[in-house]
Amino acid sequence: MPVAAFAVVAGVIGAGPVIAAVQGDPALPERTAGQLLADAAQASRSGLKPMSGTVMQTASFGLPGLPEVQGGMGGASPTALLVGSHELKVWYGGESKLRLALPGRMSETDLIVNGDQVWLWESEANKATRVKVDAGAHEKAGGHPKPEEALPTAVTPQQLAQQVLQAAEADTVVSVTNTERVADRAAYQLVLAPKDASSLVKEVKLALDGETFVPLRIQVYAKSSAEPAFEVGFTSVTFSPPAAENFTFTPPAGAKVEEKSLGTLVGEHGADRGEGADPTHGRFEDGELKGKIRTVGDGWTTVAVLPVSERDLRTPDTGGQRGQDAGAIADTILKSAKPISGAWGSGKVIQTKLVSALLTDDGRLLVGAVTPEKLAEAAGRK
């Protein structure tokens, strides 16, 4: 998660210019934005060192009250992740040793990886699943891109940082502070602020550990709020090898024990997580929308345009409880929509703190971290 956070934010930095400035009393040696990017890139390429910690995610997008939906691994509702705070505990002992724990109100879900032993423990269901992993499946499928592969190609971290800085020309200002403390550790903080007034993002803050340069926290602020609309970061972290017992697991007496392939398990929990609550999910799988999504604009004000109608949202192509959940969520959100019209046509617009969505009467869905006016402008660009 920390390395992925760096990859995402490095990509964001590539959307605009970087102006480095050190503020406050120095607690760490002064470094420019370019130097920090180089340090973080080097840390990413060297691989995550053994560590353990607790990660907290907090979201406050300003969404209308959403109905509770069924499912979610460990009893966690997918829509619940859009509001409130959620905790994740992580232990990392190397490439073959990993443990993730997702505490619930009265339950906990654990994923334990120890070499070729992989277990999923769901306390609420009193069920332990031993996961069979096909060693060759990953390679046959072409593998999944690593976080660093999302970054521009460069020979050295310094060249990488330079490429990022050169790619940023006109719409971002980045400042650097060296006096932050995150999870009781000294940290640098990169602050990225878009210049374009049509962006709903006020700034993005990325805190990098002052010793390891591992990202410790990312915060996204909306212009309409003094508190982060989204935040994920460590509340505690230790960069030392976790104890071996963290990676051992024996099903408790009386627990239901199953054995499943990784593909089967992912498919089941994909359904449980409510992927059907995304009314376009089935259409993506069937290839109906593949190749039909386009973007308008770039950088902070990029708008995605999808061929989705109101009927698609209200009557998703999934049956049973998932279809009912999706319809209920769509109904709740659409009730808060406001009518809008222009030379491009007419439709309904929904705005949260960070994201706006425009559903046009001619069957288009436009989404972006921009003002409704920017969406209307994008709607006029056929």
Side-chain angles (χ1 to χ4, degrees), residues 57-86 102 105 229-230 269-279 321-333 352:
Q57 175 205 304
T58 303
S60 177
F61 293 109
L63 288 166
L66 297 178
E68 285 293 325
V69 303
Q70 302 298 317
M73 189 165 70
S77 163
T79 56
L81 297 177
L82 299 177
V83 294
S85 298
H86 305 274
L102 181 65
R105 292 179 181 176
F230 179 82
H269 283 288
D272 288 345
R273 284 195 306 271
E275 288 179 357
D278 173 2
Q321 184 63 50
R322 289 193 293 157
Q324 295 176 24
D325 291 339
I329 292 171
D331 284 340
T332 301
I333 293 177
T352 69

Side-chain angles (χ1 to χ4, degrees), residues 122-158:
E122 299 169 273
S123 68
E124 186 175 41
N126 195 29
K127 183 173 71 173
T129 304
R130 182 169 179 173
V131 184
K132 296 182 296 181
V133 181
D134 181 357
H138 182 77
E139 288 75 10
K140 292 177 183 177
H144 300 288
K146 298 178 181 179
E148 57 266 29
E149 291 174 354
L151 302 175
T153 301
V155 177
T156 67
Q158 290 74 20

Side-chain angles (χ1 to χ4, degrees), residues 244-267:
E245 56 262 29
N246 288 300
F247 308 107
T248 60
F249 177 77
T250 301
K256 180 181 179 181
V257 180
E258 299 179 343
E259 185 170 298
K260 296 181 180 180
S261 68
L262 179 61
T264 299
L265 189 68
V266 170

